[in-house]
């Protein structure tokens, strides 16, 4: 076994750090702070963080082939021009659900952007059930609803052969697998792949590695877990120095580093005192496995 090393690389704390994406052309990690309504970019060479504020909670960010980013914020899809800091809306959804917002999202192997919604809590611990959905934004800006009656649409990725789509609805405490038609972008035939154990708490973000195994961030579980989709078994656990672990992605020059986001929102004063690193972004090295480059939205 390699010796695993965990270090904090982004000390600027995030209320709800999420959706890390490695951007090769910038040597940078792009991510969002949902509750601060910001898209952020950490330059791994200069160690600087730049951020762009937007006008709603932003659940996810992805690369665009032509530069800049596609984001899912509030209940709309938009493009973000990093240089001008301008946001251009391309599709508005769920106007009839004022408590909903977009959450996690990712681009598929053909350049389509998948992102899902969720109901916000109306008061602590109170949330309308099954209000969310999963959408696909096609390169021609056409939007298709793939799933509805979702609680908290969360982590997502595709198998290396592009025949399976993996998705997390957090309140199901499980990772689901769907048949995937890469030519049409359609999903079908849902099955439970992995049910989380009690101490793993709730599944959040997710990514796949170059061996086809899934890594799942466990919010309130303080860990990422590695799942084998062939067997449906957990094969590795890596514990981190923060409890609210939100998402993960591979990056670095050969995709051998894992970047893990975390949150401090949801922790009271006593918990924050015990967790000085809550909200920071961690880099894990020595995992002995690499990731694959992120796909870019085709338009």
């Amino acid at each position: 076994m390699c010796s695993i090393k965990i270090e904090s690389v982004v000390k600027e704390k995030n209320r709800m750090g999420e959706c890390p994406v490695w951007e090769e052309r910038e040597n940078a990690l792009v991510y969002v702070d949902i509750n601060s309504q910001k898209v952020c970019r950490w330059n791994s060479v200069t160690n600087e963080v730049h951020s762009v504020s937007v006008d709603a909670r932003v659940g996810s960010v992805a690369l665009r082939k032509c530069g800049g980013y596609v984001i899912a914020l509030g209940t709309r899809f938009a493009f973000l021009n990093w240089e001008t800091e301008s946001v251009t809306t391309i599709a508005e959804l769920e106007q009839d659900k004022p408590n909903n917002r977009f959450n996690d999202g990712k681009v598929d192997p053909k350049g389509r952007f998948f992102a899902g919604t969720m109901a916000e809590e109306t008061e602590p611990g109170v949330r309308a059930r099954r209000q969310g959905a999963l959408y696909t934004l096609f390169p021609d800006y056409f939007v298709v609803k793939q799933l509805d009656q979702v609680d908290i649409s969360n982590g997502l990725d595709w198998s290396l052969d592009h025949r399976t789509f993996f998705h997390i609805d957090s309140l199901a405490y499980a990772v689901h697998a769907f048949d995937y038609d890469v030519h049409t972008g359609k999903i079908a035939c849902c099955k439970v792949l992995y049910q989380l154990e009690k101490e793993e708490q709730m599944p959040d973000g997710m990514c796949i590695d170059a061996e086809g195994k899934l890594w799942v961030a466990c919010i309130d579980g303080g860990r990422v877990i590695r799942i084998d989709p062939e067997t449906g078994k957990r094969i590795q656990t890596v514990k981190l120095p923060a409890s609210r672990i939100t998402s993960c992605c591979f990056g670095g020059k050969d995709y051998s580093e894992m970047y893990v986001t975390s949150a401090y929102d949801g922790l009271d004063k006593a918990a924050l005192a015990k967790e000085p690193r809550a909200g920071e972004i961690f880099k894990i090295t020595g995992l002995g496995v690499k990731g694959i480059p992120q796909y870019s939205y085709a338009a």
Side-chain angles (χ1 to χ4, degrees), residues 2-20:
C2 300
S3 63
I4 292 171
K5 182 180 162 203
I6 299 169
E7 57 192 304
S8 170
V9 288
V10 181
K11 303 276 199 277
E12 284 183 34
K13 296 181 189 302
N14 294 286
R15 289 179 59 188
M16 186 61 65
E18 264 285 5
C19 198

Side-chain angles (χ1 to χ4, degrees), residues 168-210:
I168 289 169
D169 180 348
S170 289
L171 295 190
Y173 294 89
V175 180
H176 290 94
F178 295 79
D179 293 340
Y180 191 61
D181 185 334
V182 75
H183 305 293
T184 63
K186 291 279 164 55
I187 67 175
C189 301
C190 175
K191 61 176 191 288
V192 174
L193 182 70
Y194 180 78
Q195 196 78 45
L196 270 78
E197 292 174 18
K198 197 169 189 298
E199 78 273 9
E200 291 165 349
Q201 297 282 349
M202 188 187 282
D204 199 336
M206 172 168 63
C207 70
I208 199 161
D209 65 31

